[in-house]
Amino acid sequence: GDSVTQTEGQVALSEEDFLTIHCNYSASGYPTLFWYVQYPGEGPQLLFRASRDKEKGSSRGFEATYDKGTTSFHLRKASVQESDSAVYYCALSDTNAYKVIFGKGTHLHVLP
Amino acid sequence: GGIITQTPKFLIGQEGQKLTLKCQQNFNHDTMYWYRQDSGKGLRLIYYSITENDLQKGDLSEGYDASREKKSSFSLTVTSAQKNEMAVFLCASSIAGTSAETLYFGSGTRLTVL
């Protein structure tokens, strides 16, 4: 079945560091890809999505590019802030349109 | 805008007990979901419902029942709580129809089984 793999379980950075969180997917069809962010005590919320090969999604300084060739959707930010500390989930929509599959999440800690 | 309300926020149960979690949304969304969140395991789909009175099993449905009697509400029942179980249950909703829909989540119910 379809799946999402996030390589990093935890990432610790200092403010103004560059962030990369790796996301690779496996899907039989042509899924839509998502990044969600979850702050402590809240549910996940959409950061952005991308639906086509080479499409770039972006929000709040974060960005990711849909790469069908390498089946990847890596999250990047040029300069992280302490307020970016959260759990980040990569997800894809199944070929069954109602089913969204999530990766295991990456806990980002940004130190002041 | 809208909101998803999950009750209770914290639920403590005993081993073998039947426990019910409730979710209400005022987005007027057709589709609703229950996910289980465990540390290091991400979000796993338990049940989803495309419309009122519809139920679809996710990957983790064993040990759970669900009910969607109204468009705005979606309940999840843990049929027999397992000792030392700890997890967060997240309810979500989305507009039906396409694969690009955003999921809107509640803030979760944290379950502890003694």
Side-chain angles (χ1 to χ4, degrees), chain A residues 9-10 38 87 89 103-107 109, chain B residues 36-44 85-90 110-111:
Chain A
Q10 306 251 0
Q38 184 177 25
V87 181
Y89 289 99
K104 294 185 178 181
T106 298
H107 202 152
H109 304 270
Chain B
R36 177 179 165 130
Q37 182 177 40
D38 295 275
S39 179
K41 294 185 179 177
L43 277 65
R44 293 179 290 172
E85 182 174 5
M86 284 182 64
V88 176
F89 292 84
L90 292 166
R110 186 174 296 274
L111 171 67

mmCIF file with all atom_site columns, all heavy atoms in Angstrom, chain A residues 9-10 38 87 89 103-107 109, chain B residues 36-44 85-90 110-111:
data_model
loop_
_atom_site.group_PDB
_atom_site.id
_atom_site.type_symbol
_atom_site.label_atom_id
_atom_site.label_alt_id
_atom_site.label_comp_id
_atom_site.label_asym_id
_atom_site.label_entity_id
_atom_site.label_seq_id
_atom_site.pdbx_PDB_ins_code
_atom_site.Cartn_x
_atom_site.Cartn_y
_atom_site.Cartn_z
_atom_site.occupancy
_atom_site.B_iso_or_equiv
_atom_site.pdbx_formal_charge
_atom_site.auth_seq_id
_atom_site.auth_comp_id
_atom_site.auth_asym_id
_atom_site.auth_atom_id
_atom_site.pdbx_PDB_model_num
ATOM 1   N N   . GLY A 1 9   ? 13.531 11.523 13.200 1.00 0.00 ? 9   GLY A N   1
ATOM 2   C CA  . GLY A 1 9   ? 12.524 11.516 14.251 1.00 0.00 ? 9   GLY A CA  1
ATOM 3   C C   . GLY A 1 9   ? 12.604 12.793 15.088 1.00 0.00 ? 9   GLY A C   1
ATOM 4   O O   . GLY A 1 9   ? 11.592 13.325 15.527 1.00 0.00 ? 9   GLY A O   1
ATOM 5   N N   . GLN A 1 10  ? 13.844 13.254 15.328 1.00 0.00 ? 10  GLN A N   1
ATOM 6   C CA  . GLN A 1 10  ? 14.074 14.463 16.112 1.00 0.00 ? 10  GLN A CA  1
ATOM 7   C C   . GLN A 1 10  ? 15.154 15.279 15.425 1.00 0.00 ? 10  GLN A C   1
ATOM 8   O O   . GLN A 1 10  ? 16.122 14.729 14.912 1.00 0.00 ? 10  GLN A O   1
ATOM 9   C CB  . GLN A 1 10  ? 14.580 14.105 17.522 1.00 0.00 ? 10  GLN A CB  1
ATOM 10  C CG  . GLN A 1 10  ? 13.727 13.137 18.288 1.00 0.00 ? 10  GLN A CG  1
ATOM 11  C CD  . GLN A 1 10  ? 12.992 13.802 19.435 1.00 0.00 ? 10  GLN A CD  1
ATOM 12  O OE1 . GLN A 1 10  ? 13.112 14.998 19.658 1.00 0.00 ? 10  GLN A OE1 1
ATOM 13  N NE2 . GLN A 1 10  ? 12.209 13.032 20.152 1.00 0.00 ? 10  GLN A NE2 1
ATOM 14  N N   . GLN A 1 38  ? 2.236  20.567 13.962 1.00 0.00 ? 38  GLN A N   1
ATOM 15  C CA  . GLN A 1 38  ? 1.478  20.422 15.203 1.00 0.00 ? 38  GLN A CA  1
ATOM 16  C C   . GLN A 1 38  ? 2.228  21.071 16.343 1.00 0.00 ? 38  GLN A C   1
ATOM 17  O O   . GLN A 1 38  ? 3.330  20.634 16.702 1.00 0.00 ? 38  GLN A O   1
ATOM 18  C CB  . GLN A 1 38  ? 1.234  18.942 15.516 1.00 0.00 ? 38  GLN A CB  1
ATOM 19  C CG  . GLN A 1 38  ? 0.374  18.704 16.743 1.00 0.00 ? 38  GLN A CG  1
ATOM 20  C CD  . GLN A 1 38  ? 0.097  17.233 16.989 1.00 0.00 ? 38  GLN A CD  1
ATOM 21  O OE1 . GLN A 1 38  ? 0.858  16.375 16.571 1.00 0.00 ? 38  GLN A OE1 1
ATOM 22  N NE2 . GLN A 1 38  ? -0.994 16.931 17.663 1.00 0.00 ? 38  GLN A NE2 1
ATOM 23  N N   . VAL A 1 87  ? 6.028  19.599 15.911 1.00 0.00 ? 87  VAL A N   1
ATOM 24  C CA  . VAL A 1 87  ? 6.142  18.329 15.198 1.00 0.00 ? 87  VAL A CA  1
ATOM 25  C C   . VAL A 1 87  ? 5.640  18.542 13.769 1.00 0.00 ? 87  VAL A C   1
ATOM 26  O O   . VAL A 1 87  ? 4.566  19.121 13.570 1.00 0.00 ? 87  VAL A O   1
ATOM 27  C CB  . VAL A 1 87  ? 5.328  17.216 15.882 1.00 0.00 ? 87  VAL A CB  1
ATOM 28  C CG1 . VAL A 1 87  ? 5.485  15.898 15.117 1.00 0.00 ? 87  VAL A CG1 1
ATOM 29  C CG2 . VAL A 1 87  ? 5.783  17.043 17.329 1.00 0.00 ? 87  VAL A CG2 1
ATOM 30  N N   . TYR A 1 89  ? 4.626  16.822 10.091 1.00 0.00 ? 89  TYR A N   1
ATOM 31  C CA  . TYR A 1 89  ? 4.195  15.579 9.460  1.00 0.00 ? 89  TYR A CA  1
ATOM 32  C C   . TYR A 1 89  ? 4.107  15.758 7.947  1.00 0.00 ? 89  TYR A C   1
ATOM 33  O O   . TYR A 1 89  ? 3.474  16.697 7.457  1.00 0.00 ? 89  TYR A O   1
ATOM 34  C CB  . TYR A 1 89  ? 2.804  15.171 9.951  1.00 0.00 ? 89  TYR A CB  1
ATOM 35  C CG  . TYR A 1 89  ? 2.745  14.685 11.379 1.00 0.00 ? 89  TYR A CG  1
ATOM 36  C CD1 . TYR A 1 89  ? 2.343  15.524 12.410 1.00 0.00 ? 89  TYR A CD1 1
ATOM 37  C CD2 . TYR A 1 89  ? 3.080  13.371 11.695 1.00 0.00 ? 89  TYR A CD2 1
ATOM 38  C CE1 . TYR A 1 89  ? 2.286  15.075 13.722 1.00 0.00 ? 89  TYR A CE1 1
ATOM 39  C CE2 . TYR A 1 89  ? 3.022  12.911 12.998 1.00 0.00 ? 89  TYR A CE2 1
ATOM 40  C CZ  . TYR A 1 89  ? 2.626  13.769 14.000 1.00 0.00 ? 89  TYR A CZ  1
ATOM 41  O OH  . TYR A 1 89  ? 2.572  13.312 15.296 1.00 0.00 ? 89  TYR A OH  1
ATOM 42  N N   . GLY A 1 103 ? 3.264  10.342 7.702  1.00 0.00 ? 103 GLY A N   1
ATOM 43  C CA  . GLY A 1 103 ? 4.534  9.825  8.175  1.00 0.00 ? 103 GLY A CA  1
ATOM 44  C C   . GLY A 1 103 ? 4.557  9.821  9.693  1.00 0.00 ? 103 GLY A C   1
ATOM 45  O O   . GLY A 1 103 ? 3.593  10.228 10.346 1.00 0.00 ? 103 GLY A O   1
ATOM 46  N N   . LYS A 1 104 ? 5.670  9.373  10.259 1.00 0.00 ? 104 LYS A N   1
ATOM 47  C CA  . LYS A 1 104 ? 5.759  9.234  11.711 1.00 0.00 ? 104 LYS A CA  1
ATOM 48  C C   . LYS A 1 104 ? 6.021  10.552 12.420 1.00 0.00 ? 104 LYS A C   1
ATOM 49  O O   . LYS A 1 104 ? 5.972  10.615 13.642 1.00 0.00 ? 104 LYS A O   1
ATOM 50  C CB  . LYS A 1 104 ? 6.837  8.210  12.077 1.00 0.00 ? 104 LYS A CB  1
ATOM 51  C CG  . LYS A 1 104 ? 6.471  6.803  11.632 1.00 0.00 ? 104 LYS A CG  1
ATOM 52  C CD  . LYS A 1 104 ? 7.476  5.773  12.104 1.00 0.00 ? 104 LYS A CD  1
ATOM 53  C CE  . LYS A 1 104 ? 7.017  4.378  11.677 1.00 0.00 ? 104 LYS A CE  1
ATOM 54  N NZ  . LYS A 1 104 ? 7.943  3.323  12.124 1.00 0.00 ? 104 LYS A NZ  1
ATOM 55  N N   . GLY A 1 105 ? 6.311  11.583 11.685 1.00 0.00 ? 105 GLY A N   1
ATOM 56  C CA  . GLY A 1 105 ? 6.506  12.900 12.286 1.00 0.00 ? 105 GLY A CA  1
ATOM 57  C C   . GLY A 1 105 ? 7.949  13.166 12.655 1.00 0.00 ? 105 GLY A C   1
ATOM 58  O O   . GLY A 1 105 ? 8.716  12.248 12.974 1.00 0.00 ? 105 GLY A O   1
ATOM 59  N N   . THR A 1 106 ? 8.326  14.451 12.611 1.00 0.00 ? 106 THR A N   1
ATOM 60  C CA  . THR A 1 106 ? 9.661  14.900 13.002 1.00 0.00 ? 106 THR A CA  1
ATOM 61  C C   . THR A 1 106 ? 9.510  16.005 14.036 1.00 0.00 ? 106 THR A C   1
ATOM 62  O O   . THR A 1 106 ? 8.852  17.014 13.773 1.00 0.00 ? 106 THR A O   1
ATOM 63  C CB  . THR A 1 106 ? 10.439 15.438 11.799 1.00 0.00 ? 106 THR A CB  1
ATOM 64  O OG1 . THR A 1 106 ? 10.606 14.389 10.843 1.00 0.00 ? 106 THR A OG1 1
ATOM 65  C CG2 . THR A 1 106 ? 11.811 15.972 12.234 1.00 0.00 ? 106 THR A CG2 1
ATOM 66  N N   . HIS A 1 107 ? 10.104 15.763 15.216 1.00 0.00 ? 107 HIS A N   1
ATOM 67  C CA  . HIS A 1 107 ? 10.022 16.747 16.284 1.00 0.00 ? 107 HIS A CA  1
ATOM 68  C C   . HIS A 1 107 ? 11.184 17.722 16.146 1.00 0.00 ? 107 HIS A C   1
ATOM 69  O O   . HIS A 1 107 ? 12.342 17.343 16.303 1.00 0.00 ? 107 HIS A O   1
ATOM 70  C CB  . HIS A 1 107 ? 10.066 16.042 17.641 1.00 0.00 ? 107 HIS A CB  1
ATOM 71  C CG  . HIS A 1 107 ? 9.480  16.850 18.739 1.00 0.00 ? 107 HIS A CG  1
ATOM 72  N ND1 . HIS A 1 107 ? 8.896  16.310 19.860 1.00 0.00 ? 107 HIS A ND1 1
ATOM 73  C CD2 . HIS A 1 107 ? 9.383  18.188 18.901 1.00 0.00 ? 107 HIS A CD2 1
ATOM 74  C CE1 . HIS A 1 107 ? 8.462  17.272 20.659 1.00 0.00 ? 107 HIS A CE1 1
ATOM 75  N NE2 . HIS A 1 107 ? 8.760  18.411 20.103 1.00 0.00 ? 107 HIS A NE2 1
ATOM 76  N N   . HIS A 1 109 ? 13.238 20.880 17.489 1.00 0.00 ? 109 HIS A N   1
ATOM 77  C CA  . HIS A 1 109 ? 13.539 21.711 18.652 1.00 0.00 ? 109 HIS A CA  1
ATOM 78  C C   . HIS A 1 109 ? 14.481 22.811 18.185 1.00 0.00 ? 109 HIS A C   1
ATOM 79  O O   . HIS A 1 109 ? 15.574 22.508 17.684 1.00 0.00 ? 109 HIS A O   1
ATOM 80  C CB  . HIS A 1 109 ? 14.253 20.903 19.735 1.00 0.00 ? 109 HIS A CB  1
ATOM 81  C CG  . HIS A 1 109 ? 13.523 19.680 20.187 1.00 0.00 ? 109 HIS A CG  1
ATOM 82  N ND1 . HIS A 1 109 ? 12.632 19.683 21.222 1.00 0.00 ? 109 HIS A ND1 1
ATOM 83  C CD2 . HIS A 1 109 ? 13.569 18.409 19.730 1.00 0.00 ? 109 HIS A CD2 1
ATOM 84  C CE1 . HIS A 1 109 ? 12.153 18.458 21.400 1.00 0.00 ? 109 HIS A CE1 1
ATOM 85  N NE2 . HIS A 1 109 ? 12.702 17.665 20.507 1.00 0.00 ? 109 HIS A NE2 1
ATOM 86  N N   . ARG B 2 36  ? -5.412 7.898  15.512 1.00 0.00 ? 36  ARG B N   1
ATOM 87  C CA  . ARG B 2 36  ? -4.718 7.643  16.775 1.00 0.00 ? 36  ARG B CA  1
ATOM 88  C C   . ARG B 2 36  ? -3.287 8.133  16.619 1.00 0.00 ? 36  ARG B C   1
ATOM 89  O O   . ARG B 2 36  ? -2.623 7.846  15.613 1.00 0.00 ? 36  ARG B O   1
ATOM 90  C CB  . ARG B 2 36  ? -4.754 6.162  17.104 1.00 0.00 ? 36  ARG B CB  1
ATOM 91  C CG  . ARG B 2 36  ? -3.994 5.796  18.359 1.00 0.00 ? 36  ARG B CG  1
ATOM 92  C CD  . ARG B 2 36  ? -4.062 4.313  18.664 1.00 0.00 ? 36  ARG B CD  1
ATOM 93  N NE  . ARG B 2 36  ? -3.050 3.969  19.651 1.00 0.00 ? 36  ARG B NE  1
ATOM 94  C CZ  . ARG B 2 36  ? -3.310 3.271  20.757 1.00 0.00 ? 36  ARG B CZ  1
ATOM 95  N NH1 . ARG B 2 36  ? -4.541 2.815  20.980 1.00 0.00 ? 36  ARG B NH1 1
ATOM 96  N NH2 . ARG B 2 36  ? -2.348 3.002  21.607 1.00 0.00 ? 36  ARG B NH2 1
ATOM 97  N N   . GLN B 2 37  ? -2.808 8.861  17.624 1.00 0.00 ? 37  GLN B N   1
ATOM 98  C CA  . GLN B 2 37  ? -1.449 9.402  17.594 1.00 0.00 ? 37  GLN B CA  1
ATOM 99  C C   . GLN B 2 37  ? -0.644 8.798  18.736 1.00 0.00 ? 37  GLN B C   1
ATOM 100 O O   . GLN B 2 37  ? -0.989 8.956  19.907 1.00 0.00 ? 37  GLN B O   1
ATOM 101 C CB  . GLN B 2 37  ? -1.480 10.926 17.731 1.00 0.00 ? 37  GLN B CB  1
ATOM 102 C CG  . GLN B 2 37  ? -0.124 11.583 17.652 1.00 0.00 ? 37  GLN B CG  1
ATOM 103 C CD  . GLN B 2 37  ? -0.225 13.101 17.714 1.00 0.00 ? 37  GLN B CD  1
ATOM 104 O OE1 . GLN B 2 37  ? -1.017 13.659 18.472 1.00 0.00 ? 37  GLN B OE1 1
ATOM 105 N NE2 . GLN B 2 37  ? 0.569  13.777 16.906 1.00 0.00 ? 37  GLN B NE2 1
ATOM 106 N N   . ASP B 2 38  ? 0.412  8.072  18.416 1.00 0.00 ? 38  ASP B N   1
ATOM 107 C CA  . ASP B 2 38  ? 1.330  7.509  19.384 1.00 0.00 ? 38  ASP B CA  1
ATOM 108 C C   . ASP B 2 38  ? 2.715  8.075  19.097 1.00 0.00 ? 38  ASP B C   1
ATOM 109 O O   . ASP B 2 38  ? 3.105  8.233  17.936 1.00 0.00 ? 38  ASP B O   1
ATOM 110 C CB  . ASP B 2 38  ? 1.387  5.984  19.272 1.00 0.00 ? 38  ASP B CB  1
ATOM 111 C CG  . ASP B 2 38  ? 0.080  5.313  19.633 1.00 0.00 ? 38  ASP B CG  1
ATOM 112 O OD1 . ASP B 2 38  ? -0.131 5.073  20.820 1.00 0.00 ? 38  ASP B OD1 1
ATOM 113 O OD2 . ASP B 2 38  ? -0.728 5.053  18.720 1.00 0.00 ? 38  ASP B OD2 1
ATOM 114 N N   . SER B 2 39  ? 3.439  8.326  20.165 1.00 0.00 ? 39  SER B N   1
ATOM 115 C CA  . SER B 2 39  ? 4.781  8.892  20.026 1.00 0.00 ? 39  SER B CA  1
ATOM 116 C C   . SER B 2 39  ? 5.647  7.984  19.154 1.00 0.00 ? 39  SER B C   1
ATOM 117 O O   . SER B 2 39  ? 5.739  6.785  19.392 1.00 0.00 ? 39  SER B O   1
ATOM 118 C CB  . SER B 2 39  ? 5.413  9.042  21.411 1.00 0.00 ? 39  SER B CB  1
ATOM 119 O OG  . SER B 2 39  ? 6.704  9.571  21.296 1.00 0.00 ? 39  SER B OG  1
ATOM 120 N N   . GLY B 2 40  ? 6.236  8.558  18.124 1.00 0.00 ? 40  GLY B N   1
ATOM 121 C CA  . GLY B 2 40  ? 7.119  7.792  17.256 1.00 0.00 ? 40  GLY B CA  1
ATOM 122 C C   . GLY B 2 40  ? 6.417  6.978  16.190 1.00 0.00 ? 40  GLY B C   1
ATOM 123 O O   . GLY B 2 40  ? 7.070  6.327  15.374 1.00 0.00 ? 40  GLY B O   1
ATOM 124 N N   . LYS B 2 41  ? 5.094  6.997  16.191 1.00 0.00 ? 41  LYS B N   1
ATOM 125 C CA  . LYS B 2 41  ? 4.351  6.205  15.198 1.00 0.00 ? 41  LYS B CA  1
ATOM 126 C C   . LYS B 2 41  ? 3.482  7.072  14.295 1.00 0.00 ? 41  LYS B C   1
ATOM 127 O O   . LYS B 2 41  ? 2.808  6.554  13.396 1.00 0.00 ? 41  LYS B O   1
ATOM 128 C CB  . LYS B 2 41  ? 3.475  5.158  15.899 1.00 0.00 ? 41  LYS B CB  1
ATOM 129 C CG  . LYS B 2 41  ? 4.284  4.099  16.632 1.00 0.00 ? 41  LYS B CG  1
ATOM 130 C CD  . LYS B 2 41  ? 3.385  3.020  17.210 1.00 0.00 ? 41  LYS B CD  1
ATOM 131 C CE  . LYS B 2 41  ? 4.210  1.960  17.918 1.00 0.00 ? 41  LYS B CE  1
ATOM 132 N NZ  . LYS B 2 41  ? 3.353  0.930  18.553 1.00 0.00 ? 41  LYS B NZ  1
ATOM 133 N N   . GLY B 2 42  ? 3.462  8.349  14.526 1.00 0.00 ? 42  GLY B N   1
ATOM 134 C CA  . GLY B 2 42  ? 2.679  9.224  13.660 1.00 0.00 ? 42  GLY B CA  1
ATOM 135 C C   . GLY B 2 42  ? 1.192  9.093  13.899 1.00 0.00 ? 42  GLY B C   1
ATOM 136 O O   . GLY B 2 42  ? 0.746  8.709  14.974 1.00 0.00 ? 42  GLY B O   1
ATOM 137 N N   . LEU B 2 43  ? 0.414  9.418  12.864 1.00 0.00 ? 43  LEU B N   1
ATOM 138 C CA  . LEU B 2 43  ? -1.041 9.357  12.939 1.00 0.00 ? 43  LEU B CA  1
ATOM 139 C C   . LEU B 2 43  ? -1.516 8.154  12.136 1.00 0.00 ? 43  LEU B C   1
ATOM 140 O O   . LEU B 2 43  ? -1.154 8.001  10.964 1.00 0.00 ? 43  LEU B O   1
ATOM 141 C CB  . LEU B 2 43  ? -1.651 10.621 12.331 1.00 0.00 ? 43  LEU B CB  1
ATOM 142 C CG  . LEU B 2 43  ? -1.759 11.866 13.204 1.00 0.00 ? 43  LEU B CG  1
ATOM 143 C CD1 . LEU B 2 43  ? -0.396 12.391 13.595 1.00 0.00 ? 43  LEU B CD1 1
ATOM 144 C CD2 . LEU B 2 43  ? -2.552 12.947 12.491 1.00 0.00 ? 43  LEU B CD2 1
ATOM 145 N N   . ARG B 2 44  ? -2.337 7.334  12.760 1.00 0.00 ? 44  ARG B N   1
ATOM 146 C CA  . ARG B 2 44  ? -2.864 6.149  12.076 1.00 0.00 ? 44  ARG B CA  1
ATOM 147 C C   . ARG B 2 44  ? -4.385 6.212  12.052 1.00 0.00 ? 44  ARG B C   1
ATOM 148 O O   . ARG B 2 44  ? -5.023 6.464  13.064 1.00 0.00 ? 44  ARG B O   1
ATOM 149 C CB  . ARG B 2 44  ? -2.364 4.884  12.783 1.00 0.00 ? 44  ARG B CB  1
ATOM 150 C CG  . ARG B 2 44  ? -0.859 4.690  12.634 1.00 0.00 ? 44  ARG B CG  1
ATOM 151 C CD  . ARG B 2 44  ? -0.379 3.449  13.354 1.00 0.00 ? 44  ARG B CD  1
ATOM 152 N NE  . ARG B 2 44  ? -0.433 3.595  14.803 1.00 0.00 ? 44  ARG B NE  1
ATOM 153 C CZ  . ARG B 2 44  ? -0.219 2.599  15.659 1.00 0.00 ? 44  ARG B CZ  1
ATOM 154 N NH1 . ARG B 2 44  ? 0.055  1.401  15.205 1.00 0.00 ? 44  ARG B NH1 1
ATOM 155 N NH2 . ARG B 2 44  ? -0.275 2.826  16.952 1.00 0.00 ? 44  ARG B NH2 1
ATOM 156 N N   . GLU B 2 85  ? -2.433 1.420  28.292 1.00 0.00 ? 85  GLU B N   1
ATOM 157 C CA  . GLU B 2 85  ? -2.562 2.100  27.007 1.00 0.00 ? 85  GLU B CA  1
ATOM 158 C C   . GLU B 2 85  ? -2.533 3.612  27.223 1.00 0.00 ? 85  GLU B C   1
ATOM 159 O O   . GLU B 2 85  ? -3.170 4.144  28.124 1.00 0.00 ? 85  GLU B O   1
ATOM 160 C CB  . GLU B 2 85  ? -3.878 1.689  26.351 1.00 0.00 ? 85  GLU B CB  1
ATOM 161 C CG  . GLU B 2 85  ? -4.123 2.296  24.991 1.00 0.00 ? 85  GLU B CG  1
ATOM 162 C CD  . GLU B 2 85  ? -5.384 1.729  24.336 1.00 0.00 ? 85  GLU B CD  1
ATOM 163 O OE1 . GLU B 2 85  ? -6.100 0.937  24.986 1.00 0.00 ? 85  GLU B OE1 1
ATOM 164 O OE2 . GLU B 2 85  ? -5.653 2.095  23.181 1.00 0.00 ? 85  GLU B OE2 1
ATOM 165 N N   . MET B 2 86  ? -1.759 4.289  26.394 1.00 0.00 ? 86  MET B N   1
ATOM 166 C CA  . MET B 2 86  ? -1.733 5.756  26.418 1.00 0.00 ? 86  MET B CA  1
ATOM 167 C C   . MET B 2 86  ? -1.632 6.241  24.986 1.00 0.00 ? 86  MET B C   1
ATOM 168 O O   . MET B 2 86  ? -0.750 5.802  24.251 1.00 0.00 ? 86  MET B O   1
ATOM 169 C CB  . MET B 2 86  ? -0.531 6.275  27.200 1.00 0.00 ? 86  MET B CB  1
ATOM 170 C CG  . MET B 2 86  ? -0.667 6.174  28.701 1.00 0.00 ? 86  MET B CG  1
ATOM 171 S SD  . MET B 2 86  ? 0.766  6.861  29.544 1.00 0.00 ? 86  MET B SD  1
ATOM 172 C CE  . MET B 2 86  ? 0.657  8.575  29.057 1.00 0.00 ? 86  MET B CE  1
ATOM 173 N N   . ALA B 2 87  ? -2.537 7.090  24.584 1.00 0.00 ? 87  ALA B N   1
ATOM 174 C CA  . ALA B 2 87  ? -2.501 7.625  23.225 1.00 0.00 ? 87  ALA B CA  1
ATOM 175 C C   . ALA B 2 87  ? -3.355 8.878  23.158 1.00 0.00 ? 87  ALA B C   1
ATOM 176 O O   . ALA B 2 87  ? -4.155 9.149  24.045 1.00 0.00 ? 87  ALA B O   1
ATOM 177 C CB  . ALA B 2 87  ? -3.025 6.600  22.215 1.00 0.00 ? 87  ALA B CB  1
ATOM 178 N N   . VAL B 2 88  ? -3.163 9.637  22.085 1.00 0.00 ? 88  VAL B N   1
ATOM 179 C CA  . VAL B 2 88  ? -4.014 10.789 21.792 1.00 0.00 ? 88  VAL B CA  1
ATOM 180 C C   . VAL B 2 88  ? -4.874 10.437 20.589 1.00 0.00 ? 88  VAL B C   1
ATOM 181 O O   . VAL B 2 88  ? -4.357 9.927  19.584 1.00 0.00 ? 88  VAL B O   1
ATOM 182 C CB  . VAL B 2 88  ? -3.182 12.045 21.517 1.00 0.00 ? 88  VAL B CB  1
ATOM 183 C CG1 . VAL B 2 88  ? -4.083 13.208 21.119 1.00 0.00 ? 88  VAL B CG1 1
ATOM 184 C CG2 . VAL B 2 88  ? -2.340 12.422 22.739 1.00 0.00 ? 88  VAL B CG2 1
ATOM 185 N N   . PHE B 2 89  ? -6.157 10.686 20.697 1.00 0.00 ? 89  PHE B N   1
ATOM 186 C CA  . PHE B 2 89  ? -7.085 10.426 19.602 1.00 0.00 ? 89  PHE B CA  1
ATOM 187 C C   . PHE B 2 89  ? -7.496 11.760 18.994 1.00 0.00 ? 89  PHE B C   1
ATOM 188 O O   . PHE B 2 89  ? -7.971 12.655 19.690 1.00 0.00 ? 89  PHE B O   1
ATOM 189 C CB  . PHE B 2 89  ? -8.306 9.649  20.105 1.00 0.00 ? 89  PHE B CB  1
ATOM 190 C CG  . PHE B 2 89  ? -7.953 8.247  20.524 1.00 0.00 ? 89  PHE B CG  1
ATOM 191 C CD1 . PHE B 2 89  ? -7.469 8.000  21.789 1.00 0.00 ? 89  PHE B CD1 1
ATOM 192 C CD2 . PHE B 2 89  ? -8.087 7.196  19.633 1.00 0.00 ? 89  PHE B CD2 1
ATOM 193 C CE1 . PHE B 2 89  ? -7.124 6.710  22.169 1.00 0.00 ? 89  PHE B CE1 1
ATOM 194 C CE2 . PHE B 2 89  ? -7.746 5.906  20.004 1.00 0.00 ? 89  PHE B CE2 1
ATOM 195 C CZ  . PHE B 2 89  ? -7.256 5.658  21.273 1.00 0.00 ? 89  PHE B CZ  1
ATOM 196 N N   . LEU B 2 90  ? -7.267 11.869 17.689 1.00 0.00 ? 90  LEU B N   1
ATOM 197 C CA  . LEU B 2 90  ? -7.534 13.114 16.976 1.00 0.00 ? 90  LEU B CA  1
ATOM 198 C C   . LEU B 2 90  ? -8.701 12.934 16.021 1.00 0.00 ? 90  LEU B C   1
ATOM 199 O O   . LEU B 2 90  ? -8.728 11.988 15.227 1.00 0.00 ? 90  LEU B O   1
ATOM 200 C CB  . LEU B 2 90  ? -6.298 13.534 16.181 1.00 0.00 ? 90  LEU B CB  1
ATOM 201 C CG  . LEU B 2 90  ? -5.101 13.970 17.011 1.00 0.00 ? 90  LEU B CG  1
ATOM 202 C CD1 . LEU B 2 90  ? -3.853 14.027 16.150 1.00 0.00 ? 90  LEU B CD1 1
ATOM 203 C CD2 . LEU B 2 90  ? -5.344 15.322 17.652 1.00 0.00 ? 90  LEU B CD2 1
ATOM 204 N N   . ARG B 2 110 ? -6.839 12.809 25.169 1.00 0.00 ? 110 ARG B N   1
ATOM 205 C CA  . ARG B 2 110 ? -5.701 12.019 25.658 1.00 0.00 ? 110 ARG B CA  1
ATOM 206 C C   . ARG B 2 110 ? -6.232 10.904 26.556 1.00 0.00 ? 110 ARG B C   1
ATOM 207 O O   . ARG B 2 110 ? -6.863 11.168 27.575 1.00 0.00 ? 110 ARG B O   1
ATOM 208 C CB  . ARG B 2 110 ? -4.725 12.903 26.421 1.00 0.00 ? 110 ARG B CB  1
ATOM 209 C CG  . ARG B 2 110 ? -3.451 12.197 26.850 1.00 0.00 ? 110 ARG B CG  1
ATOM 210 C CD  . ARG B 2 110 ? -2.473 13.175 27.481 1.00 0.00 ? 110 ARG B CD  1
ATOM 211 N NE  . ARG B 2 110 ? -2.019 14.179 26.519 1.00 0.00 ? 110 ARG B NE  1
ATOM 212 C CZ  . ARG B 2 110 ? -0.999 14.009 25.691 1.00 0.00 ? 110 ARG B CZ  1
ATOM 213 N NH1 . ARG B 2 110 ? -0.303 12.890 25.697 1.00 0.00 ? 110 ARG B NH1 1
ATOM 214 N NH2 . ARG B 2 110 ? -0.647 14.987 24.870 1.00 0.00 ? 110 ARG B NH2 1
ATOM 215 N N   . LEU B 2 111 ? -5.991 9.669  26.147 1.00 0.00 ? 111 LEU B N   1
ATOM 216 C CA  . LEU B 2 111 ? -6.499 8.497  26.864 1.00 0.00 ? 111 LEU B CA  1
ATOM 217 C C   . LEU B 2 111 ? -5.387 7.870  27.696 1.00 0.00 ? 111 LEU B C   1
ATOM 218 O O   . LEU B 2 111 ? -4.281 7.651  27.205 1.00 0.00 ? 111 LEU B O   1
ATOM 219 C CB  . LEU B 2 111 ? -7.033 7.455  25.879 1.00 0.00 ? 111 LEU B CB  1
ATOM 220 C CG  . LEU B 2 111 ? -7.401 6.096  26.466 1.00 0.00 ? 111 LEU B CG  1
ATOM 221 C CD1 . LEU B 2 111 ? -8.591 6.213  27.401 1.00 0.00 ? 111 LEU B CD1 1
ATOM 222 C CD2 . LEU B 2 111 ? -7.700 5.091  25.350 1.00 0.00 ? 111 LEU B CD2 1
#
